[in-house]
Amino acid sequence: MTKTLGLIGAGNIGSALARLAVAAGLDVVLSNSRGPETLTDLVAELGPRARAATPAEAAEAGDLVVATILLGAYEQLPAAALADKTVIDTMNYYPDRFGPIAELDESGLTSSSLVQRHLADSQVIKAFNNVDFVRLFTLARPAGAPDRSALPIAGDDTAAKAEAAALVDVLGYDPVDIGTLADSWSSQPGTPVHVDPYFTAKPVRELSQEEMYGWYVQAPGTAVGADQVRALVGSAVQPALDHA
Ligand SMILES: NC(=O)c1ccc[n+]([C@@H]2O[C@H](COP(=O)([O-])OP(=O)(O)OC[C@H]3O[C@@H](n4cnc5c(N)ncnc54)[C@H](OP(=O)(O)O)[C@@H]3O)[C@@H](O)[C@H]2O)c1
């Protein structure tokens, strides 16, 4: 059972996961690219269960580690420090927003398979990639709650998947196994289970960018149960390779 969660990345998703983990009684070790001293405020807010460290230290400290940085920086994940660990990959590929990764476009590999190739001695599990960071925090519920949501997880290693599933459960969601890392395309951006089902409200009038952000942060989420996640994933259509 995970007692200490290591986090590489402490932005929107990393800090939401840290809040859920601390609320669930886990210790968290947070890290980012700028150094532990830049995480003082977040650590103070999280309280005595949290501390900040370097990415390699967070990797070593975690019974289980979450990699939640921008995908384009995946080669900076500390492979040696992450060896023999289960690593949860929340990262999504957004070529239009953050630039293309030729290897992905040309090979048809899923982004998590690419991360697994870099972290060859770790067991990579895809999770927490299909819900936005506000709803990730606000939709979390204890086991058995009637409005508990589910989240897909994918991975190649059975034991690591079980470990990640237990974490998903502890943090407030029912895990739904959607297959291997090669199958994880079915929860990526643009697929039916990605973000939208958890977030069905729409603003009632046209908003400025600032108003839109305020609305987005406040907007309620929608519970998405395990059967619905299975149906949404099952209805996904695999994108063709661009050059095919
Ligand atoms: N935002 C969402 O709602 C959402 C939902 C699902 C999945 N995702 C995915 O989850 C990942 C994180 O998203 P986010 O919104 O949390 O991003 P974010 O707010 O931009 O945070 C990124 C974090 O990664 C850190 N970082 C960047 N490069 C690093 C490196 N080389 N080593 C260690 N830390 C590094 C950043 O630290 P510094 O600030 O110090 O550089 C920052 O703490 C992305 O891949 C995204 O596609 C996001």
Side-chain angles (χ1 to χ4, degrees):
M1 190 62 206
T2 303
K3 292 201 177 72
T4 301
L5 187 65
L7 288 148
I8 302 179
N12 294 318
I13 292 287
S15 56
L17 289 174
R19 289 187 179 95
L20 292 175
V22 164
L26 305 186
D27 292 331
V28 297
V29 181
L30 297 143
S31 67
N32 64 7
S33 76
R34 287 166 295 151
E37 64 285 358
T38 64
L39 292 167
T40 309
D41 290 349
L42 180 58
V43 166
E45 180 202 319
L46 289 167
R49 288 196 178 279
R51 68 182 172 92
T54 66
E57 288 165 349
E60 278 158 12
D63 303 312
L64 195 154
V65 182
V66 181
T68 184
I69 66 178
L70 296 188
L71 180 65
Y74 80 94
E75 287 168 304
Q76 292 168 26
L77 291 170
L82 288 167
D84 300 324
K85 305 252 175 180
T86 296
V87 179
I88 295 186
D89 166 18
T90 79
M91 300 180 278
N92 286 318
Y93 180 38
Y94 289 106
D96 297 340
R97 277 161 64 185
F98 301 115
I101 299 176
E103 182 122 38
L104 285 179
D105 296 337
E106 287 160 14
S107 67
L109 276 179
T110 62
S111 62
S112 287
S113 296
L114 190 64
V115 173
Q116 176 68 81
R117 207 166 68 182
H118 172 61
L119 302 178
D121 296 324
S122 308
Q123 292 79 42
V124 172
I125 303 293
K126 182 96 174 185
F128 302 116
N129 68 301
N130 75 312
V131 61
D132 76 270
F133 72 99
V134 177
R135 264 44 62 178
L136 172 61
F137 185 71
T138 60
L139 284 176
R141 298 286 185 277
D147 59 347
R148 198 182 211 217
S149 287
L151 294 175
I153 68 169
D156 297 343
D157 184 282
T158 306
K161 212 193 275 189
E163 204 185 340
L167 181 76
V168 170
D169 181 39
V170 161
L171 297 193
Y173 291 88
D174 290 333
V176 173
D177 185 346
I178 63 163
T180 64
L181 295 181
D183 298 323
S184 65
W185 63 266
S186 62
S187 71
Q188 73 186 15
T191 61
V193 81
H194 194 264
V195 175
D196 286 355
Y198 299 87
F199 182 58
T200 50
K202 295 273 178 285
V204 290
R205 63 180 173 84
E206 200 164 318
L207 302 177
S208 68
Q209 209 173 345
E210 196 179 325
E211 287 174 321
M212 183 57 118
Y213 185 75
W215 173 84
Y216 170 83
V217 169
Q218 304 269 328
T222 302
V224 181
D227 287 344
Q228 200 181 343
V229 165
R230 281 186 206 99
L232 290 164
V233 168
S235 69
V237 177
Q238 188 162 20
L241 281 178
D242 278 351
H243 62 83

